[in-house]
Amino acid sequence: MKALRRQRALADYTLAALARRKVKNLALVGVFSLVVFLLASAMFFASALRHEASAALEGVPDLIVQHLSLGRQGMISEDRIAELESIRGVSKVRGRLWGYYYDRVSGANYTVMVPDGGQMPAPGQVIVGEGIPRARGLDWEGAPLFLSRKQGDLNRFDIAQIYSSDSALLTADLLLMNEADFRAFFSVPEGVYTDIAARVRNANELATIIDKATSLMPDERFVSRDDIARTYMKLFDWREGLMVALGAMAMLAFAIFAADKASGLSAEEAREIGILKAIGWDTRDVIAMKLWEGGLVSVGAFLLGAVAAYAHVFWFGAPLFAPVLKGWAVIYPDFALAPVIDGSQLVTLFLLTVLPYAAATVVPVWRAASADPDAVMR
Amino acid sequence: MISLSDVSKTYNEGRPNEVAALRSVTLDIAREGVTVFMGPSGSGKTTLLSLVGCMARPTTGRITLDGEPVSGLPERFLTELRRVKFGFVFQRFNLIRGLSVLDNVMLPAAPLGEEPKTVQARAMMRLEALGLAEKALMPVEVLSGGETQRAAIARALVNDAPVLIADEPTANLDTALTHRFLDIVAGLRDEGKTVILTSHDPRIIAASAVTAVVEMRDGKVVEVRG
Ligand SMILES: Nc1ncnc2c1ncn2[C@@H]1O[C@H](COP(=O)(O)OP(=O)(O)O)[C@@H](O)[C@H]1O
Ligand SMILES: [Mg+2]
């Protein structure tokens, strides 16, 4: 009880002391929360990107077969499906139809696909990602989507559904079509596909299977899930790398800021500590009071920075990191990442900012409070 | 009784700027009454006061408080002595700027862990007695010189310490305020408190409230009267 009341008295003093140096403390909270804001933004952004990457990989087949003609990818014949099925350990072989469509109206690239089972649109209908109606400015429900491949040739599609998923990055520009519509729209003849996807029952046999398939079909290229994973990771890695660089810069700024605090107290603060000691405050009372002060400033600033970072990344689409997202800027005008928060990262950030700050606050205080207080007699 | 035997204080010992502020002081200070350390500037009055008040430790020698040795105690015991036995009125008063008069007066009680209401009532009582009740909620910066001193006295008395120590309390006061201060001192003496002052003010030395005068020069006690 006594100890509690003592802490309360110290906390009261701290509040009065904070209010008294309003400008200085607001500046402190400002700098601190700015650093937390930058670091947490980078962290939220990076982990959201990683989440996108793993979501992207989830749907990737074990093996993709592409046809190469003159060293470039061409359409692959459906005959390869049967050949592939004849190899032991290969299952669920299916031809895929997909491609990119440059939309002159919005200046954006859409990924057009014939879905693999599941939600197959009816003829004349499409299922689109959230980004497409937005890029087109279709703001009323049921507005038809006109697509044209050449001057004067307009194809009308009705939007059956607007696709939304956890992974905005991957589905925002997606346009799903019926197979017949796809072949007609892109003039793809029957009997060929963009590529062929297959499952492999035992991942360890993948290399053997690719060997066998290569001798069976010398003109085809075989891409394994791992190859794709690497490509995806590269795509996300450089974006994450930028984030890490930004984070490192913010951390450095924070280190300078903390070191500056650790290097000493202002003459006024040192005298105040001397006065408190002289009138009977223990060294531990002074330190507890300064811990209250540092705690209120740093925890408050941490919360402020973390909440602002959450809003920045997940509500406002990380405008500060716009350059990182440049390639997607057209299709994602107000692109929203799925909110994914890595709790352990947040805890780490807390420990990396609040604790050093507390230590940086306490060390000089402890030094000042351990000296004889007779200096305040003069 | 506060007793000093053969006490010396040397600042910056062993360095070129070494100063022997006190040399071999032996002195008894009675618990009843008002003791004044007098002497020219630089004679060691403040240093002696800080040793008596457990603000610093002597370089050599022994200090006892009511028979208990204090000079060798570790810092945290000295802090406790300062909190419960001594009330300080510093030469520069040392009120904490930006806080109200009342908050300043309540400061020495913060480590005690008492009910805030109790502390506040005690602080208000002291402020009342010193004619500062209406200024209790004002920031200390707005007080006049005399008021600042009385606020500092209230702070020194809030833990009801038996010994009040004041360094050059009348250095910046006019005659009327000096007499008001002496009246306060006389009142405290009558309450049974020990009062120890430093001064080179003849009005203080001559005051009827003063019971002992310790005359100092060059870090030594040259004469004790009363
Ligand atoms: N912290 C200190 N460091 C060095 N010298 C000091 C210190 N404090 C006091 N002195 C010196 O000690 C001597 C006595 O000082 P002081 O006790 O303040 O005298 P008084 O209060 O009588 O004016 C002076 O010469 C002063 O300069
Ligand atoms: Mg002095």
Side-chain angles (χ1 to χ4, degrees):
Chain A
M1 229 18 237
K2 233 174 128 158
L4 259 175
R5 277 199 297 262
R6 186 174 137 251
Q7 287 307 322
R8 206 201 121 181
L10 298 181
D12 281 350
Y13 176 80
T14 304
L15 283 177
L18 283 175
R20 168 166 64 111
R21 286 192 279 261
K22 221 172 278 155
V23 175
K24 188 192 149 218
N25 285 307
L26 284 180
L28 216 60
V29 168
V31 173
F32 199 122
S33 47
L34 184 70
V35 169
V36 171
F37 167 78
L38 287 175
L39 285 170
S41 289
M43 241 176 50
F44 289 158
F45 194 67
S47 73
L49 283 182
R50 222 173 300 120
H51 176 81
E52 299 283 347
S54 64
L57 273 175
E58 227 156 72
V60 168
D62 300 330
L63 183 63
I64 291 171
V65 189
Q66 299 170 338
H67 177 68
L68 290 186
S69 114
L70 299 174
R72 303 180 65 224
Q73 194 188 342
M75 301 304 283
I76 191 166
S77 158
E78 68 180 352
D79 301 342
R80 302 285 169 263
I81 295 178
E83 286 174 50
L84 212 57
E85 274 172 337
S86 73
I87 300 174
R88 268 174 62 94
V90 178
S91 66
K92 292 201 182 126
V93 185
R94 67 222 189 272
R96 302 196 306 179
L97 284 169
W98 61 272
Y100 299 114
Y101 167 73
Y102 175 71
D103 181 34
R104 244 178 302 248
V105 180
S106 58
N109 265 307
Y110 304 157
T111 305
V112 185
M113 276 177 77
V114 175
D116 188 15
Q119 316 155 282
M120 179 68 77
Q125 292 194 337
V126 286
I127 296 174
V128 296
E130 299 158 306
I132 292 175
R134 204 155 49 204
R136 274 302 194 88
L138 304 180
D139 39 25
W140 50 279
E141 186 115 10
L145 179 69
F146 287 98
L147 301 176
S148 91
R149 294 219 54 216
K150 46 187 188 289
Q151 212 75 46
D153 160 47
L154 267 187
N155 295 273
R156 179 197 162 120
F157 294 97
D158 290 315
I159 297 176
Q161 192 192 330
I162 292 176
Y163 204 93
S164 69
S165 85
D166 279 356
S167 178
L169 213 49
L170 295 169
T171 57
D173 74 334
L174 204 57
L175 203 159
L176 300 182
M177 261 186 203
N178 182 280
E179 177 166 351
D181 286 342
F182 186 94
R183 289 190 188 277
F185 184 66
F186 288 109
S187 313
V188 177
E190 293 290 333
V192 296
Y193 291 96
T194 309
D195 56 21
I196 293 170
R199 290 247 159 249
V200 171
R201 268 192 294 272
N202 183 347
N204 296 328
E205 289 175 11
L206 193 62
T208 339
I209 288 171
I210 289 177
D211 276 351
K212 251 187 239 170
T214 309
S215 60
L216 210 61
M217 301 170 260
D219 284 340
E220 320 300 2
R221 177 164 72 164
F222 301 90
V223 183
S224 74
R225 191 170 194 276
D226 289 347
D227 298 329
I228 296 167
R230 265 196 295 280
T231 316
Y232 264 120
M233 283 311 169
K234 236 180 250 158
L235 175 73
F236 287 107
D237 272 357
W238 76 263
R239 291 168 204 277
E240 244 197 89
L242 265 175
M243 296 292 100
V244 170
L246 280 175
M249 266 154 56
M251 218 49 209
L252 184 71
F254 181 74
I256 293 169
F257 164 69
D260 178 55
K261 257 209 88 91
S263 63
L265 299 167
S266 68
E268 195 198 341
E269 277 176 303
R271 186 159 184 97
E272 185 177 323
I273 289 171
I275 294 169
L276 293 173
K277 288 273 315 204
I279 62 176
W281 284 38
D282 266 326
T283 302
R284 68 189 172 131
D285 295 323
V286 174
I287 289 176
M289 181 271 286
K290 284 288 175 183
L291 275 178
W292 275 107
E293 189 180 310
L296 287 173
V297 165
S298 61
V299 173
F302 181 86
L303 290 177
L304 201 70
V307 168
Y310 186 94
H312 168 233
V313 172
F314 298 122
W315 296 348
F316 299 111
L320 275 184
F321 302 147
V324 185
L325 287 167
K326 212 168 216 152
W328 295 318
V330 177
I331 196 83
Y332 309 102
D334 46 28
F335 154 86
L337 279 166
V340 211
I341 288 186
D342 185 339
S344 68
Q345 277 190 347
L346 212 53
V347 171
T348 309
L349 183 60
F350 183 84
L351 297 180
L352 279 180
T353 52
V354 171
L355 285 191
Y357 183 80
T361 312
V362 164
V363 170
V365 169
W366 177 78
R367 234 186 285 130
S370 313
D372 279 340
D374 64 335
V376 301
M377 302 278 294
R378 304 179 191 276
Chain B
M1 180 94 81
I2 301 171
S3 300
L4 297 89
S5 71
D6 210 11
V7 166
S8 309
K9 179 73 179 178
T10 307
Y11 291 108
N12 309 319
E13 205 178 4
R15 272 179 276 165
N17 54 348
E18 183 177 291
V19 181
L22 286 182
R23 309 158 196 255
S24 194
V25 170
T26 297
L27 177 70
D28 286 338
I29 301 167
R31 287 299 296 267
E32 310 77 33
V34 178
T35 302
V36 178
F37 300 160
M38 64 164 286
S41 185
S43 57
K45 304 181 295 293
T46 300
T47 303
L48 184 56
L49 213 49
S50 70
L51 292 183
V52 167
C54 295
M55 290 273 213
R57 274 165 286 201
T59 310
T60 60
R62 222 170 110 83
I63 303 174
T64 61
L65 173 61
D66 300 331
E68 302 287 334
V70 296
S71 35
L73 290 178
E75 170 59 28
R76 79 200 135 93
F77 292 104
L78 295 182
T79 306
E80 196 183 330
L81 284 175
R82 289 199 296 274
R83 179 161 65 232
V84 299
K85 296 276 193 206
F86 299 102
F88 294 90
V89 179
F90 303 98
Q91 186 168 8
R92 286 166 57 189
F93 305 130
N94 284 334
L95 297 179
I96 291 182
R97 296 168 61 82
L99 295 186
S100 71
V101 174
L102 181 61
D103 283 343
N104 262 287
V105 173
M106 288 170 67
L107 271 184
L112 298 176
E114 292 173 292
E115 202 68 64
K117 269 196 238 95
T118 320
V119 179
Q120 193 169 327
R122 228 164 49 214
M124 280 312 294
M125 204 184 71
R126 286 296 177 188
L127 286 172
E128 188 91 57
L130 292 164
L132 277 176
E134 321 86 82
K135 311 247 165 161
L137 298 179
M138 293 187 181
V140 289
E141 290 93 319
V142 306
L143 299 183
S144 69
E147 288 168 338
T148 306
Q149 185 189 54
R150 278 178 280 137
I153 295 171
R155 182 176 72 180
L157 296 172
V158 76
N159 283 351
D160 211 16
V163 184
L164 181 82
I165 287 177
D167 196 8
E168 311 270 2
T170 58
N172 299 305
L173 300 185
D174 63 20
T175 306
L177 284 171
T178 298
H179 283 115
R180 182 159 185 184
F181 174 78
L182 285 167
D183 288 344
I184 294 169
V185 166
L188 292 172
R189 182 201 55 195
D190 295 343
E191 269 182 48
K193 295 203 187 292
T194 311
V195 180
I196 306 172
L197 313 174
T198 68
S199 185
H200 44 237
D201 182 346
R203 293 170 299 187
I204 294 276
I205 321 272
S208 59
V210 173
T211 48
V213 175
V214 176
E215 202 179 324
M216 304 189 61
R217 197 158 303 140
D218 298 332
K220 290 194 186 118
V221 172
V222 291
E223 196 189 340
V224 180
R225 275 172 276 152

